[in-house]
Amino acid sequence: MADAKVIPFDDDRSRGGSGSRSPRRRTAHRRGGAEPAAAGEVQPLPGRTAAREEDTGADGPASGQSAGQPEPELEAEAEAGGAEDGGGLERRVASGLAFLRRRLTGEYDVDDFGYDAELTDQVLMSLLRPVYEKYFRVEVKGIENIPAEGGALIVANHSGTLPLDGLMMQVAVHDHHPADRHLRLLAADLVFVLPVVNELARKLGHTLACAEDAERLLAQGELVGVMPEGFKGIGKPFSERYKLQRFGRGGFVSTALRQGAPIVPCSIVGAEEIYPMIGNAKTLARLLGFPYFPLTPTFPWLGPLGAVPLPTKWTIQFGEPIPTDGYPPEAAEDPMLMFNLTDQVREQIQHTLYKLLVQRRSVFF
């Protein structure tokens, strides 16, 4: 593999169980000063009638227990419920401590790409989920179109100035797919040169947007996500929102053909408006080594506060998969076929975007 040629996808490189307690036997204690019972006479317990009320025909509880006094069985159930709650808390604490021990001792696994499944499931997804559910209120459609097993390539539009759309798509697959699948995203080189961001991206299962890494993941039966627009998509001006940019050179189609993996188009609505990009400070971008430097109605004018995204309402729709296993092996080298399949995927995403926009009543609601 040392001589393998890396083909970019686009021009930009872009939860101790506890048993239930048995009911405690209630005992009567004679209060001081009470007269002792005569021989053969039954002394009633305080709070109870001398005889069962159902025998006398009086209205009242069938058990003869006075109103307002709890049944022993109900009391036992309440105690058992409290024990279960306490047991659940104990399990969570024990699980958390075990997780910390494994992290400190290094007794956890990562794959060849740096993906840390335990950290992703227990920590990173828990941090992203409130943003997904409460802030952007993402609605997911067509999740059943993603295969339950085997490799598949999910191709989506890219927008939003910052690549939050990829993360939200990853949470959507992780939380909603019935087979509990995980999406491995292909990211641009810039992601892996930024401190902290690099490590978090690797832990989440991201890898370089190159054909070699994509093929390895597909061959392992993974779900792979790619956004072929690259920086052209997330860095486009607000006036061009929801207009798909060029899909690179169709490298993702070639990869899917070589592995016989289906291509699942994905359309994301809502990300375009989180940072309305009204300008681009190109000189500053070149100085910082960024592909663009966004100017929005709030950034950089409001400082760090201007970097807070607008709480738009999102919709993510996964379309019907396009099969590729019916093509011969040499089809991956056919430029016309790659062009036609690329155009088919792009048109399907664009058509779905327009349809979702027509159905949307408000950007925020």
Side-chain angles (χ1 to χ4, degrees), residues 90-164:
E90 290 176 0
R91 286 194 296 272
R92 290 193 293 269
V93 171
S95 177
L97 292 176
F99 172 79
L100 289 176
R101 179 187 61 79
R102 289 192 296 272
R103 308 316 294 187
L104 293 174
T105 60
E107 297 176 0
Y108 58 91
D109 297 325
V110 298
D111 68 5
D112 294 341
F113 299 92
Y115 170 49
D116 191 330
E118 183 183 46
L119 182 67
T120 297
D121 292 341
Q122 298 194 23
V123 178
L124 300 180
M125 284 295 163
S126 299
L127 295 176
L128 291 171
R129 194 168 290 118
V131 180
Y132 173 91
E133 295 179 346
K134 306 299 183 182
Y135 198 79
F136 293 134
R137 296 148 292 148
V138 181
E139 179 183 359
V140 180
K141 299 180 179 181
I143 193 71
E144 68 278 359
N145 288 320
I146 300 177
E149 58 184 12
L153 188 66
I154 299 179
V155 182
N157 60 304
H158 208 10
S159 62
T161 305
L162 291 181
L164 298 181

Side-chain angles (χ1 to χ4, degrees), residues 260-280:
I263 300 173
V264 182
C266 176
S267 302
I268 304 173
V269 165
E272 293 274 16
E273 296 89 1
I274 60 173
Y275 296 110
M277 186 169 165
I278 58 176
N280 180 14

Side-chain angles (χ1 to χ4, degrees), residues 248-272:
R249 296 179 299 221
F252 69 91
V253 171
S254 177
T255 300
L257 285 169
R258 278 193 287 268
Q259 294 298 321
I263 300 173
V264 182
C266 176
S267 302
I268 304 173
V269 165
E272 293 274 16

